[in-house]
Amino acid sequence: MSDKKRETFGSKLGLVMATAGSALGLGNIYRFPCEAGANGGAAFLIVYLVMALLVGMPLMLAEFTIGRRSRSNAVGSFRKLSGEGKISIFNFQFSIWPLVGYLGVLCAFLILAFYTTVAGWTLGYLGKSAADHFSGQDLASIQQQFGDFTSHPWLPIVCQLAFLVLTAVVVMRGVKDGIERCSKILMPMLLVIMVVLCIKSLTLSGAGEGLRFFFKPDFSKITGRVILSALGQSFFSLSIGIGALITYGSYISRKDNMVSSAVGVALADTLVAVLAGVIIFPAAFSFGIKPEAGAALAFTTLPMVFQQMTGGYFFCLIFFLLLVIATLTSTISLLEVIVAALTEELRLSRTKAARVGAAATAVVGVLATMSFRPGSPLHIGASTVFDLLDHATALYMMPIGGLLIVLFVGWKMKRADVMAELTNDGALHAGIRKSIYFIIRYIAPVAIAVIFVSQMLMR
Ligand code: PHE
């Protein structure tokens, strides 16, 4: 597709909001507390912050660079920028780098499959809060409701499929009207309601213990596994390592300042994850919910917090509405990776590509949802299909994809081209951008490789 025909975001704000929309989602509000709870609380938080700064932000910029330079999808961008370098096997010639893009598209598909399980729950919980299922209930009943809902034979599946349809409909509408407009209005609202929740949670009796768990580090808890989990979480939360930001980067206009956009998004993402922790841990401790409660943590703690508030019904309803929307802006970006690749590589229409992508996701996604039923055969070893998809993507595919992306930008692309993107052809100050290039070329790949390889060797 030619440069002219491609859509771009309408404004820098649109870019920041759409990228923030992709980044902010269940990764922050659901997955981050789960991971922090299982990996020692504050110890995890510290490693996470280091990872987001040292690896996450530079990788975000590396993806933007590839996307804007090539104006192409996750697969086509590598083909365009890598030039020759084809290898041939049995007369069949192909170049290696686009495989990184295919890996990303596959990863986006697998993430979307299990992500829509929890996305469906948020939709179900929106319905439950509208029907006032939580007022006046005690912890045992709220926990029971979560178990009943997630193991119901068809309800979570219907919610998941509805969510997928919603995602596909927005993606069909395209970049500016669908993705950008939706994100711009709703992201700021989410932040406001989270601050209100945060204040409430901090004033619950027993909140101190939760705060200590989340902020007072026990350094002996930092193990190799914790570091790998923090790396995976930072990739997941910032939507990096799978080409989602290559795809969004390809819609960035030539005049936008990518560095300040990436910094803004990374800060907002971190802020929302930390806020989620500040809401969930004090409340969990005060109600006697274990921090390692996993899936149930967000879905039982939050309704309990709302219970304690005046106007709880109203706040609960708005919160789940916003959570659905934050989740939707993330599923949109995941489906967009697949759709951009299908439309440009296989020349499918946008509508058809969105349908094919959503239908394929539904098949795997339903298995992930069904694996939550007690006694379900959808287990491999001790893990559910859901956990397997989560771990395979966040702990393996995303770090590998991220490593290959920084290697591509740091070592395969020309330095002058990368700097031209980072500085808008010299219009922006080069100082800090040179350090970013240095991190992309040396520090990020070494950090990812060391963490990843050492974890593999220790198994
Ligand atoms: N970053 C999103 C979240 O935190 C999930 C996501 C991962 C979206 C990868 C796109 C790509 O919820």
Side-chain angles (χ1 to χ4, degrees):
M1 209 183 260
S2 80
D3 210 280
K4 271 186 230 102
K5 261 200 266 154
R6 270 185 133 251
E7 280 190 274
T8 55
F9 287 123
S11 63
K12 178 173 169 203
L13 185 67
L15 156 72
V16 173
M17 287 302 170
T19 311
S22 169
L24 298 178
L26 295 172
N28 309 64
I29 295 164
Y30 166 83
R31 196 177 189 279
F32 178 80
C34 281
E35 289 291 302
N39 289 300
F44 180 84
L45 175 64
I46 291 183
V47 185
Y48 173 79
L49 292 176
V50 174
M51 292 301 155
L53 188 79
L54 207 67
V55 184
M57 223 149 44
L59 182 48
M60 242 175 157
L61 280 163
E63 291 205 24
F64 279 164
T65 301
I66 297 177
R68 188 165 76 171
R69 189 90 196 154
S70 65
R71 289 258 178 262
S72 193
N73 65 83
V75 177
S77 54
F78 285 101
R79 181 170 314 115
K80 267 195 188 170
L81 298 180
S82 62
E84 331 70 55
K86 290 195 171 44
I87 58 166
S88 64
I89 295 178
F90 298 123
N91 279 344
F92 181 65
Q93 287 218 332
F94 64 94
S95 34
I96 309 247
W97 284 107
L99 293 180
V100 181
Y102 284 114
L103 178 76
V105 174
L106 175 67
C107 190
F109 164 70
L110 297 176
I111 294 178
L112 192 57
F114 78 86
Y115 199 87
T116 46
T117 295
V118 186
W121 297 351
T122 63
L123 209 54
Y125 266 61
L126 176 62
K128 275 174 159 299
S129 38
D132 204 9
H133 280 193
F134 308 123
S135 300
Q137 304 294 313
D138 59 8
L139 179 64
S141 136
I142 286 185
Q143 281 172 330
Q144 173 83 29
Q145 286 196 45
F146 180 70
D148 289 349
F149 178 76
T150 51
S151 58
H152 192 278
W154 49 264
L155 201 53
I157 296 178
V158 171
C159 292
Q160 177 181 35
L161 296 180
F163 209 100
L164 260 172
V165 170
L166 214 62
T167 308
V169 168
V170 180
V171 170
M172 281 174 201
R173 299 194 55 153
V175 176
K176 215 187 273 178
D177 288 344
I179 299 173
E180 184 173 341
R181 188 178 297 165
C182 204
S183 314
K184 235 176 169 145
I185 313 169
L186 299 154
M187 287 301 111
M189 279 172 74
L190 180 73
L191 206 61
V192 173
I193 195 150
M194 287 196 64
V195 171
V196 173
L197 269 177
C198 197
I199 296 169
K200 182 65 213 173
S201 186
L202 288 176
T203 53
L204 291 170
S205 67
E209 208 187 329
L211 279 183
R212 240 169 299 166
F213 174 76
F214 192 44
F215 286 121
K216 195 155 174 262
D218 170 356
F219 289 103
S220 68
K221 294 225 169 95
I222 302 184
T223 59
R225 174 75 188 189
V226 169
I227 298 176
L228 182 65
S229 299
L231 181 79
Q233 174 60 23
S234 72
F235 277 35
F236 192 90
S237 190
L238 292 171
S239 307
I240 47 186
I242 65 165
L245 299 188
I246 294 181
T247 310
Y248 274 18
S250 73
Y251 307 132
I252 302 179
S253 106
R254 287 265 165 244
K255 352 181 252 311
D256 283 344
N257 182 339
M258 299 193 303
V259 175
S260 63
S261 305
V263 171
V265 171
L267 286 180
D269 188 69
T270 307
L271 178 70
V272 172
V274 173
L275 273 179
V278 174
I279 296 166
I280 288 179
F281 290 116
F285 275 84
S286 116
F287 302 133
I289 301 172
K290 291 218 161 31
E292 58 277 1
L297 197 56
F299 286 90
T300 51
T301 314
L302 291 171
M304 282 301 289
V305 181
F306 289 117
Q307 288 261 12
Q308 316 283 318
M309 296 167 61
T310 23
Y313 171 80
F314 174 72
F315 279 114
C316 187
L317 192 63
I318 309 202
F319 175 79
F320 278 110
L321 181 65
L322 290 174
L323 188 57
V324 164
I325 292 155
T327 306
L328 184 62
T329 50
S330 301
T331 52
I332 288 168
S333 71
L334 286 162
L335 187 58
E336 180 65 20
V337 176
I338 303 168
V339 166
L342 289 178
T343 50
E344 293 176 11
E345 299 303 305
L346 298 185
R347 308 246 163 250
L348 294 188
S349 71
R350 189 164 254 282
T351 312
K352 204 176 215 169
R355 283 201 192 128
V356 170
T361 306
V363 176
V364 182
V366 165
L367 298 180
T369 303
M370 290 187 352
S371 72
F372 272 91
R373 274 187 219 158
S376 146
L378 292 165
H379 283 70
I380 296 174
S383 305
T384 58
V385 169
F386 179 95
D387 287 336
L388 274 179
L389 289 171
D390 181 346
H391 291 160
T393 50
L395 299 185
Y396 300 94
M397 296 175 81
M398 293 178 114
I400 292 174
L403 176 61
L404 294 171
I405 289 169
V406 279
L407 287 177
F408 184 78
V409 175
W411 297 88
K412 174 79 188 162
M413 283 178 75
K414 289 200 195 81
R415 183 179 192 276
D417 291 347
V418 177
M419 285 309 288
E421 284 304 324
L422 293 176
T423 60
N424 290 5
D425 291 321
L428 301 168
H429 190 57
I432 179 115
R433 292 170 172 81
K434 284 191 191 144
S435 325
I436 293 171
Y437 183 75
F438 181 83
I439 298 181
I440 292 177
R441 190 167 153 95
Y442 298 104
I443 299 186
V446 171
I448 303 173
V450 167
I451 296 170
F452 192 73
V453 173
S454 62
Q455 265 306 290
M456 292 305 107
L457 293 181
M458 276 185 337
R459 306 206 127 221

